[in-house]
Coordinates of all heavy atoms in Angstrom, one line a residue:
F1 N -6.8 -83.7 40.6 CA -7.4 -84.5 41.7 C -7.6 -83.6 42.9 O -6.9 -83.7 43.9 CB -6.5 -85.6 42.1 CG -6.4 -86.6 41.0 CD1 -5.2 -86.8 40.2 CD2 -7.4 -87.5 40.7 CE1 -5.1 -87.7 39.3 CE2 -7.3 -88.4 39.6 CZ -6.1 -88.6 39.0
P2 N -8.6 -82.7 42.9 CA -8.8 -81.9 44.0 C -9.2 -82.7 45.3 O -8.9 -82.1 46.4 CB -10.0 -81.0 43.6 CG -10.7 -81.8 42.5 CD -9.6 -82.6 41.8
H3 N -9.6 -83.9 45.2 CA -10.0 -84.7 46.4 C -8.8 -85.4 46.9 O -8.9 -86.1 47.9 CB -11.1 -85.6 46.1 CG -10.8 -86.6 45.0 ND1 -10.8 -86.2 43.7 CD2 -10.5 -87.9 45.0 CE1 -10.4 -87.3 42.9 NE2 -10.3 -88.3 43.7
L4 N -7.6 -85.2 46.3 CA -6.4 -85.8 46.8 C -5.5 -84.8 47.5 O -5.4 -83.6 47.0 CB -5.6 -86.5 45.7 CG -6.3 -87.7 45.0 CD1 -5.4 -88.3 43.9 CD2 -6.7 -88.8 46.0
T5 N -4.8 -85.2 48.5 CA -3.8 -84.2 49.1 C -2.6 -84.0 48.2 O -2.4 -84.9 47.3 CB -3.3 -84.6 50.5 OG1 -2.6 -85.9 50.3 CG2 -4.5 -85.0 51.3
E6 N -1.9 -83.0 48.4 CA -0.7 -82.8 47.6 C 0.3 -84.0 47.7 O 0.9 -84.4 46.8 CB 0.0 -81.5 48.0 CG 1.3 -81.2 47.2 CD 1.9 -79.9 47.5 OE1 1.2 -79.0 48.2 OE2 3.1 -79.6 47.2
R7 N 0.5 -84.5 49.0 CA 1.3 -85.6 49.2 C 0.8 -86.9 48.5 O 1.6 -87.6 48.0 CB 1.4 -85.9 50.8 CG 2.4 -87.0 51.0 CD 3.8 -86.7 50.6 NE 4.5 -85.7 51.4 CZ 5.8 -85.3 51.3 NH1 6.4 -85.8 50.3 NH2 6.3 -84.5 52.1
Q8 N -0.5 -87.1 48.5 CA -1.0 -88.2 47.8 C -0.7 -88.1 46.3 O -0.5 -89.1 45.6 CB -2.5 -88.3 48.1 CG -2.8 -88.9 49.4 CD -4.3 -88.8 49.8 OE1 -5.0 -88.0 49.3 NE2 -4.7 -89.8 50.6
R9 N -0.8 -86.9 45.7 CA -0.5 -86.7 44.3 C 1.0 -87.0 44.1 O 1.4 -87.5 43.1 CB -0.9 -85.3 43.8 CG -2.4 -85.1 43.7 CD -2.7 -83.8 43.0 NE -2.3 -82.7 43.8 CZ -3.1 -82.0 44.7 NH1 -4.3 -82.4 44.9 NH2 -2.6 -81.0 45.3
D10 N 1.9 -86.6 45.1 CA 3.3 -86.9 44.9 C 3.5 -88.4 44.9 O 4.2 -88.9 44.0 CB 4.1 -86.4 46.1 CG 4.1 -84.9 46.3 OD1 3.8 -84.2 45.2 OD2 4.4 -84.4 47.3
V11 N 2.9 -89.1 45.8 CA 3.0 -90.6 45.8 C 2.5 -91.1 44.5 O 3.1 -92.1 43.9 CB 2.2 -91.2 47.0 CG1 2.2 -92.7 46.9 CG2 2.9 -90.7 48.3
L12 N 1.3 -90.7 44.0 CA 0.8 -91.2 42.8 C 1.7 -91.0 41.6 O 1.9 -91.9 40.7 CB -0.6 -90.5 42.5 CG -1.4 -91.1 41.4 CD1 -1.7 -92.6 41.6 CD2 -2.7 -90.3 41.1
R13 N 2.4 -89.8 41.5 CA 3.3 -89.6 40.4 C 4.5 -90.5 40.5 O 5.0 -91.0 39.5 CB 3.8 -88.2 40.5 CG 2.8 -87.1 40.1 CD 3.4 -85.7 40.1 NE 2.3 -84.7 39.9 CZ 1.7 -84.0 40.8 NH1 2.2 -84.0 42.0 NH2 0.7 -83.2 40.5
L14 N 5.0 -90.8 41.7 CA 6.1 -91.7 41.9 C 5.7 -93.1 41.6 O 6.6 -93.8 41.0 CB 6.7 -91.5 43.3 CG 7.4 -90.1 43.5 CD1 7.6 -89.9 45.0 CD2 8.7 -90.0 42.7
L15 N 4.5 -93.5 41.9 CA 4.1 -94.8 41.5 C 4.0 -95.0 40.0 O 4.4 -96.0 39.5 CB 2.7 -95.1 42.1 CG 2.6 -95.5 43.6 CD1 1.2 -95.4 44.0 CD2 3.2 -96.8 43.8
A16 N 3.6 -93.9 39.3 CA 3.5 -93.9 37.9 C 4.9 -94.1 37.3 O 5.0 -94.6 36.2 CB 2.9 -92.6 37.4
E17 N 5.9 -93.7 38.0 CA 7.3 -93.8 37.5 C 7.8 -95.2 37.8 O 8.9 -95.6 37.4 CB 8.2 -92.9 38.2 CG 8.0 -91.4 37.7 CD 9.0 -90.4 38.4 OE1 9.8 -90.9 39.3 OE2 9.0 -89.2 38.2
G18 N 7.0 -96.0 38.5 CA 7.5 -97.4 38.8 C 8.3 -97.4 40.1 O 8.9 -98.5 40.3
R19 N 8.3 -96.4 41.0 CA 9.1 -96.5 42.2 C 8.5 -97.5 43.1 O 7.4 -97.7 43.4 CB 9.1 -95.1 42.8 CG 9.6 -94.0 41.8 CD 11.0 -94.0 41.6 NE 11.4 -93.0 40.7 CZ 12.6 -92.8 40.3 NH1 13.5 -93.6 40.6 NH2 12.9 -91.8 39.4
S20 N 9.4 -98.0 43.9 CA 9.1 -98.9 45.0 C 8.7 -98.1 46.2 O 9.0 -96.9 46.3 CB 10.3 -99.8 45.3 OG 11.3 -99.1 46.0
T21 N 8.1 -98.8 47.2 CA 7.8 -98.1 48.4 C 9.1 -97.5 49.1 O 9.0 -96.3 49.5 CB 7.1 -99.1 49.5 OG1 5.9 -99.6 48.9 CG2 6.8 -98.4 50.8
R22 N 10.1 -98.2 49.2 CA 11.4 -97.7 49.7 C 11.9 -96.5 48.9 O 12.3 -95.5 49.6 CB 12.4 -98.7 49.6 CG 13.8 -98.3 50.2 CD 14.8 -99.4 50.4 NE 14.3 -100.2 51.6 CZ 14.8 -101.4 51.8 NH1 15.7 -102.0 51.1 NH2 14.4 -102.0 52.9
E23 N 11.9 -96.5 47.6 CA 12.3 -95.4 46.8 C 11.4 -94.2 47.0 O 11.9 -93.0 47.2 CB 12.2 -95.8 45.3 CG 13.3 -96.7 44.9 CD 13.1 -97.3 43.5 OE1 12.0 -97.4 43.0 OE2 14.2 -97.5 42.8
I24 N 10.1 -94.4 47.1 CA 9.2 -93.2 47.4 C 9.5 -92.7 48.7 O 9.5 -91.4 48.9 CB 7.7 -93.7 47.2 CG1 7.4 -94.2 45.8 CG2 6.7 -92.6 47.7 CD1 6.1 -94.8 45.6
A25 N 9.7 -93.5 49.7 CA 9.9 -93.0 51.1 C 11.3 -92.2 51.1 O 11.3 -91.1 51.7 CB 10.1 -94.2 52.1
R26 N 12.2 -92.7 50.5 CA 13.5 -92.0 50.5 C 13.3 -90.6 49.7 O 13.8 -89.6 50.1 CB 14.6 -92.7 49.8 CG 15.0 -93.9 50.6 CD 16.2 -94.7 50.0 NE 16.6 -95.7 50.9 CZ 17.3 -96.8 50.6 NH1 17.7 -96.9 49.3 NH2 17.6 -97.7 51.5
R27 N 12.6 -90.6 48.6 CA 12.4 -89.4 47.8 C 11.6 -88.4 48.6 O 11.9 -87.2 48.5 CB 11.7 -89.8 46.5 CG 11.5 -88.7 45.5 CD 12.7 -88.3 44.7 NE 13.3 -89.2 43.8 CZ 13.0 -89.4 42.6 NH1 12.1 -88.6 42.0 NH2 13.6 -90.3 41.8
L28 N 10.6 -88.8 49.3 CA 9.7 -87.9 50.0 C 10.2 -87.6 51.5 O 9.6 -86.9 52.2 CB 8.3 -88.4 50.0 CG 7.6 -88.5 48.7 CD1 6.2 -89.1 48.8 CD2 7.7 -87.2 47.9
V29 N 11.3 -88.4 51.9 CA 11.8 -88.2 53.2 C 10.7 -88.5 54.3 O 10.5 -87.7 55.2 CB 12.5 -86.8 53.4 CG1 13.3 -86.8 54.7 CG2 13.4 -86.4 52.3
V30 N 10.2 -89.7 54.1 CA 9.2 -90.2 55.1 C 9.5 -91.6 55.3 O 10.2 -92.3 54.6 CB 7.7 -90.0 54.6 CG1 7.4 -88.5 54.4 CG2 7.4 -90.7 53.3
A31 N 8.8 -92.2 56.3 CA 8.9 -93.7 56.6 C 8.2 -94.5 55.5 O 7.2 -94.0 55.0 CB 8.3 -94.0 58.0
E32 N 8.7 -95.7 55.4 CA 8.0 -96.6 54.4 C 6.5 -96.8 54.8 O 5.7 -97.0 54.0 CB 8.8 -97.9 54.3 CG 10.1 -97.8 53.6 CD 10.9 -99.0 53.4 OE1 10.2 -100.1 53.1 OE2 12.1 -99.0 53.6
S33 N 6.3 -96.9 56.1 CA 5.0 -97.1 56.7 C 4.0 -96.0 56.2 O 2.8 -96.2 55.9 CB 4.9 -97.3 58.1 OG 5.5 -96.2 58.8
T34 N 4.6 -94.7 56.2 CA 3.8 -93.6 55.7 C 3.4 -93.7 54.2 O 2.3 -93.5 53.9 CB 4.6 -92.3 55.9 OG1 4.9 -92.2 57.4 CG2 3.8 -91.1 55.5
V35 N 4.3 -94.2 53.4 CA 4.0 -94.4 52.0 C 3.0 -95.5 51.9 O 2.0 -95.3 51.1 CB 5.3 -94.8 51.3 CG1 5.0 -95.1 49.8 CG2 6.4 -93.7 51.2
K36 N 3.1 -96.6 52.6 CA 2.1 -97.6 52.5 C 0.7 -97.1 52.9 O -0.3 -97.5 52.4 CB 2.5 -98.7 53.5 CG 3.6 -99.5 52.9 CD 4.1 -100.6 53.9 CE 5.3 -101.4 53.4 NZ 5.8 -102.3 54.4
T37 N 0.6 -96.2 53.9 CA -0.6 -95.6 54.3 C -1.2 -94.7 53.2 O -2.4 -94.8 52.9 CB -0.5 -94.7 55.6 OG1 0.0 -95.6 56.7 CG2 -1.7 -94.0 56.0
H38 N -0.3 -93.9 52.6 CA -0.8 -93.1 51.4 C -1.3 -94.0 50.3 O -2.4 -93.7 49.7 CB 0.4 -92.2 50.9 CG 0.7 -91.0 51.8 ND1 -0.2 -90.1 52.2 CD2 1.9 -90.6 52.3 CE1 0.3 -89.2 53.0 NE2 1.5 -89.5 53.1
V39 N -0.6 -95.0 50.0 CA -1.1 -95.9 49.0 C -2.4 -96.6 49.2 O -3.2 -96.6 48.4 CB 0.0 -97.0 48.6 CG1 -0.4 -98.1 47.7 CG2 1.3 -96.3 48.1
A40 N -2.6 -97.0 50.5 CA -3.8 -97.6 50.8 C -4.9 -96.6 50.7 O -6.1 -97.0 50.3 CB -3.8 -98.1 52.3
R41 N -4.7 -95.4 51.2 CA -5.8 -94.4 51.1 C -6.1 -93.9 49.8 O -7.2 -93.6 49.4 CB -5.4 -93.2 52.0 CG -5.5 -93.5 53.5 CD -5.2 -92.3 54.4 NE -5.3 -92.8 55.8 CZ -4.8 -92.2 56.8 NH1 -4.2 -90.9 56.6 NH2 -4.9 -92.6 58.0
L42 N -5.0 -93.9 48.9 CA -5.2 -93.5 47.5 C -6.1 -94.6 46.9 O -7.0 -94.2 46.1 CB -3.8 -93.5 46.8 CG -3.1 -92.1 46.8 CD1 -1.6 -92.4 46.3 CD2 -3.8 -91.1 45.9
A43 N -5.7 -95.8 47.0 CA -6.5 -97.0 46.4 C -7.9 -96.8 46.8 O -8.8 -97.0 46.0 CB -5.9 -98.3 46.8
A44 N -8.2 -96.6 48.1 CA -9.5 -96.5 48.7 C -10.3 -95.3 47.9 O -11.5 -95.5 47.5 CB -9.6 -96.4 50.1
R45 N -9.7 -94.2 48.0 CA -10.3 -93.0 47.3 C -10.6 -93.1 45.9 O -11.6 -92.6 45.4 CB -9.4 -91.7 47.6 CG -9.5 -91.2 48.9 CD -8.9 -89.8 49.0 NE -9.0 -89.2 50.3 CZ -8.7 -88.1 50.7 NH1 -8.1 -87.3 49.8 NH2 -8.9 -87.7 51.8
L46 N -9.8 -93.8 45.2 CA -9.9 -94.0 43.8 C -10.7 -95.3 43.4 O -10.8 -95.7 42.3 CB -8.6 -94.0 43.1 CG -7.8 -92.7 43.2 CD1 -6.4 -92.8 42.6 CD2 -8.6 -91.5 42.5
D47 N -11.1 -96.0 44.4 CA -11.9 -97.3 44.3 C -11.2 -98.3 43.5 O -11.7 -98.9 42.6 CB -13.3 -96.9 43.6 CG -14.3 -98.0 43.9 OD1 -14.2 -98.8 44.9 OD2 -15.2 -98.2 43.0
L48 N -9.9 -98.5 43.9 CA -9.1 -99.5 43.2 C -8.7 -100.6 44.3 O -8.8 -100.3 45.5 CB -7.7 -98.8 42.8 CG -8.0 -97.8 41.6 CD1 -6.6 -97.1 41.4 CD2 -8.6 -98.4 40.4
A49 N -8.4 -101.8 43.8 CA -8.2 -102.9 44.6 C -7.0 -102.9 45.5 O -7.0 -103.4 46.6 CB -8.1 -104.2 43.8
G50 N -6.0 -102.2 45.1 CA -4.7 -102.1 45.9 C -3.6 -101.5 45.2 O -3.7 -100.9 44.1
R51 N -2.4 -101.6 45.7 CA -1.2 -101.1 45.1 C -1.0 -101.4 43.6 O -0.7 -100.6 42.8 CB 0.1 -101.4 46.0 CG 1.3 -100.7 45.4 CD 2.6 -101.3 45.9 NE 3.7 -100.7 45.2 CZ 4.4 -99.7 45.6 NH1 4.0 -99.1 46.8 NH2 5.4 -99.2 44.9
A52 N -1.1 -102.7 43.4 CA -0.8 -103.1 42.0 C -1.8 -102.5 41.0 O -1.3 -101.9 40.0 CB -1.0 -104.7 41.9
E53 N -3.1 -102.4 41.3 CA -4.0 -101.8 40.4 C -3.7 -100.2 40.4 O -3.8 -99.6 39.3 CB -5.5 -102.0 40.8 CG -6.5 -101.6 39.9 CD -7.9 -101.9 40.2 OE1 -8.1 -102.6 41.3 OE2 -8.8 -101.6 39.5
L54 N -3.4 -99.7 41.6 CA -3.1 -98.3 41.6 C -1.9 -98.0 40.8 O -1.9 -96.9 40.0 CB -2.9 -97.8 43.1 CG -2.5 -96.4 43.3 CD1 -3.7 -95.5 42.9 CD2 -2.3 -96.1 44.8
Q55 N -0.9 -98.7 40.8 CA 0.4 -98.5 40.1 C 0.1 -98.6 38.5 O 0.6 -97.9 37.8 CB 1.5 -99.4 40.5 CG 2.8 -99.0 39.9 CD 4.0 -99.5 40.7 OE1 3.8 -100.4 41.5 NE2 5.2 -99.0 40.4
R56 N -0.7 -99.6 38.2 CA -1.1 -99.8 36.7 C -1.9 -98.6 36.2 O -1.8 -98.2 35.1 CB -1.9 -101.1 36.5 CG -1.1 -102.3 36.5 CD -1.9 -103.5 36.0 NE -3.1 -103.7 36.8 CZ -3.1 -104.5 37.9 NH1 -2.1 -105.2 38.4 NH2 -4.3 -104.7 38.6
S57 N -2.7 -98.0 37.1 CA -3.6 -96.9 36.7 C -3.0 -95.6 36.8 O -3.5 -94.6 36.2 CB -4.9 -97.0 37.5 OG -5.5 -98.2 37.4
A58 N -1.9 -95.5 37.6 CA -1.4 -94.1 38.0 C -1.0 -93.2 36.8 O -1.5 -92.0 36.8 CB -0.2 -94.3 38.9
A59 N -0.4 -93.7 35.8 CA 0.0 -92.9 34.7 C -1.2 -92.3 33.9 O -1.2 -91.1 33.6 CB 1.0 -93.6 33.7
G60 N -2.1 -93.2 33.7 CA -3.3 -92.7 32.9 C -4.1 -91.7 33.8 O -4.6 -90.7 33.3
L61 N -4.2 -91.9 35.1 CA -5.0 -91.0 36.0 C -4.3 -89.7 36.0 O -5.0 -88.6 35.8 CB -5.0 -91.5 37.4 CG -5.8 -92.7 37.6 CD1 -5.6 -93.4 39.0 CD2 -7.3 -92.4 37.5
L62 N -2.9 -89.6 36.0 CA -2.2 -88.4 36.0 C -2.3 -87.6 34.7 O -2.5 -86.4 34.7 CB -0.8 -88.6 36.4 CG -0.5 -89.0 37.9 CD1 0.9 -89.4 38.1 CD2 -0.7 -87.7 38.7
E63 N -2.2 -88.4 33.6 CA -2.4 -87.7 32.3 C -3.7 -87.1 32.1 O -3.8 -86.0 31.6 CB -2.0 -88.7 31.2 CG -0.5 -89.0 31.1 CD -0.2 -89.9 29.9 OE1 -0.9 -90.0 29.0 OE2 0.9 -90.6 30.1
R64 N -4.7 -87.8 32.6 CA -6.1 -87.2 32.4 C -6.2 -85.9 33.3 O -7.0 -85.0 32.9 CB -7.1 -88.2 32.9 CG -7.4 -89.2 31.7 CD -8.7 -90.0 32.0 NE -8.6 -90.8 33.2 CZ -8.2 -92.0 33.3 NH1 -7.8 -92.6 32.2 NH2 -8.2 -92.7 34.4
A65 N -5.4 -85.9 34.4 CA -5.5 -84.7 35.3 C -4.5 -83.6 34.9 O -4.5 -82.6 35.5 CB -5.2 -85.2 36.7
G66 N -3.7 -83.9 33.9 CA -2.7 -82.9 33.4 C -1.4 -82.9 34.2 O -0.7 -81.9 34.2
G67 N -1.1 -83.9 35.0 CA 0.1 -83.9 35.7 C 0.8 -85.2 35.6 O 0.9 -86.0 36.5
G68 N 1.3 -85.5 34.4 CA 2.0 -86.7 34.1 C 3.1 -87.1 35.0 O 3.6 -86.2 35.8
P69 N 3.6 -88.3 34.9 CA 4.7 -88.8 35.7 C 5.9 -88.0 35.8 O 6.6 -87.9 36.7 CB 5.0 -90.2 35.2 CG 3.8 -90.5 34.3 CD 3.1 -89.2 33.9
S70 N 6.3 -87.3 34.6 CA 7.5 -86.5 34.6 C 7.4 -85.3 35.5 O 8.5 -84.7 35.9 CB 7.8 -86.0 33.2 OG 6.7 -85.3 32.8
S71 N 6.3 -84.9 36.0 CA 6.2 -83.8 36.8 C 6.6 -84.1 38.3 O 6.7 -83.3 39.2 CB 4.7 -83.3 36.9 OG 3.9 -84.2 37.5
A72 N 7.0 -85.3 38.5 CA 7.5 -85.7 39.9 C 9.0 -85.3 40.0 O 9.5 -85.5 41.1 CB 7.4 -87.2 40.1
T73 N 9.6 -84.8 39.0 CA 11.0 -84.5 39.1 C 11.3 -83.4 40.2 O 12.5 -83.3 40.6 CB 11.7 -84.1 37.8 OG1 10.8 -83.1 37.3 CG2 11.6 -85.3 36.8
W74 N 10.4 -82.6 40.5 CA 10.6 -81.6 41.5 C 10.6 -82.1 42.9 O 11.0 -81.3 43.8 CB 9.5 -80.4 41.3 CG 8.2 -81.0 41.5 CD1 7.3 -81.5 40.6 CD2 7.5 -81.2 42.8 NE1 6.2 -82.0 41.2 CE2 6.2 -81.8 42.5 CE3 7.8 -81.0 44.1 CZ2 5.3 -82.1 43.5 CZ3 6.9 -81.3 45.1 CH2 5.6 -81.8 44.8
V75 N 10.2 -83.3 43.1 CA 10.1 -83.8 44.5 C 11.5 -83.7 45.1 O 12.5 -84.1 44.5 CB 9.5 -85.2 44.5 CG1 9.6 -85.8 46.0 CG2 8.2 -85.2 44.0
R76 N 11.6 -83.3 46.4 CA 12.9 -83.1 47.0 C 13.6 -84.5 47.1 O 13.0 -85.5 47.3 CB 12.9 -82.6 48.5 CG 11.8 -82.0 49.0 CD 11.9 -81.7 50.4 NE 10.8 -82.4 51.1 CZ 10.7 -82.5 52.3 NH1 11.5 -82.1 53.2 NH2 9.7 -83.2 52.8
R77 N 14.9 -84.4 47.0 CA 15.8 -85.5 47.2 C 16.4 -85.6 48.5 O 16.8 -84.6 49.1 CB 16.9 -85.5 46.1 CG 16.3 -85.6 44.8 CD 17.6 -85.6 43.8 NE 17.1 -85.4 42.4 CZ 16.7 -86.4 41.6 NH1 16.6 -87.6 42.0 NH2 16.3 -86.1 40.4
R78 N 16.5 -86.7 49.0 CA 17.0 -86.9 50.4 C 18.5 -86.8 50.4 O 19.2 -87.3 49.6 CB 16.7 -88.3 50.9 CG 17.1 -88.5 52.3 CD 16.7 -89.9 52.8 NE 17.1 -90.1 54.2 CZ 17.0 -91.2 54.8 NH1 16.4 -92.2 54.3 NH2 17.5 -91.3 56.1
V79 N 19.0 -85.9 51.3 CA 20.5 -85.7 51.4 C 20.9 -86.8 52.3 O 20.6 -86.9 53.5 CB 20.7 -84.3 51.9 CG1 22.2 -84.1 52.1 CG2 20.2 -83.3 51.0
V80 N 21.9 -87.6 51.9 CA 22.5 -88.6 52.7 C 23.8 -88.2 53.4 O 24.6 -87.5 52.8 CB 22.8 -89.9 51.9 CG1 23.3 -91.0 52.7 CG2 21.4 -90.3 51.3

């Protein structure tokens, strides 16, 4: 997805894993509102209706692009 930012691809991978907004925010060490913004922009760029449709489509989109959901394991973990 050359038209997506690296962070948007990170969010897409985590959505494909079935992660919640809170889980994605913690994994990426950002605010939940930031994740919501990324999700909204992703849906708009991919011409999808919203988060639910984006989450249903995420795994297939990533597989077609060669970066399946398992590639999200490198995302930094938040140190508590």
Side-chain angles (χ1 to χ4, degrees):
F1 295 105
H3 60 287
L4 298 180
T5 67
E6 183 177 341
R7 184 58 80 177
Q8 287 173 326
R9 288 191 298 270
D10 293 342
V11 171
L12 190 61
R13 286 183 188 106
L14 292 166
L15 281 170
E17 290 180 359
R19 305 286 180 185
S20 69
T21 298
R22 177 173 286 166
E23 290 170 326
I24 294 170
R26 287 181 179 164
R27 183 75 66 93
L28 299 178
V29 192
V30 297
E32 288 181 45
S33 60
T34 301
V35 174
K36 290 176 183 179
T37 297
H38 284 308
V39 169
R41 289 183 179 166
L42 274 166
R45 281 193 178 184
L46 298 173
D47 197 29
L48 300 172
R51 182 195 172 94
E53 188 175 1
L54 181 61
Q55 193 156 13
R56 282 192 302 270
S57 304
L61 291 167
L62 287 168
E63 285 184 25
R64 282 196 296 271
S70 62
S71 64
T73 56
W74 58 267
V75 177
R76 343 175 239 170
R77 295 182 193 274
R78 182 177 181 184
V79 178
V80 180

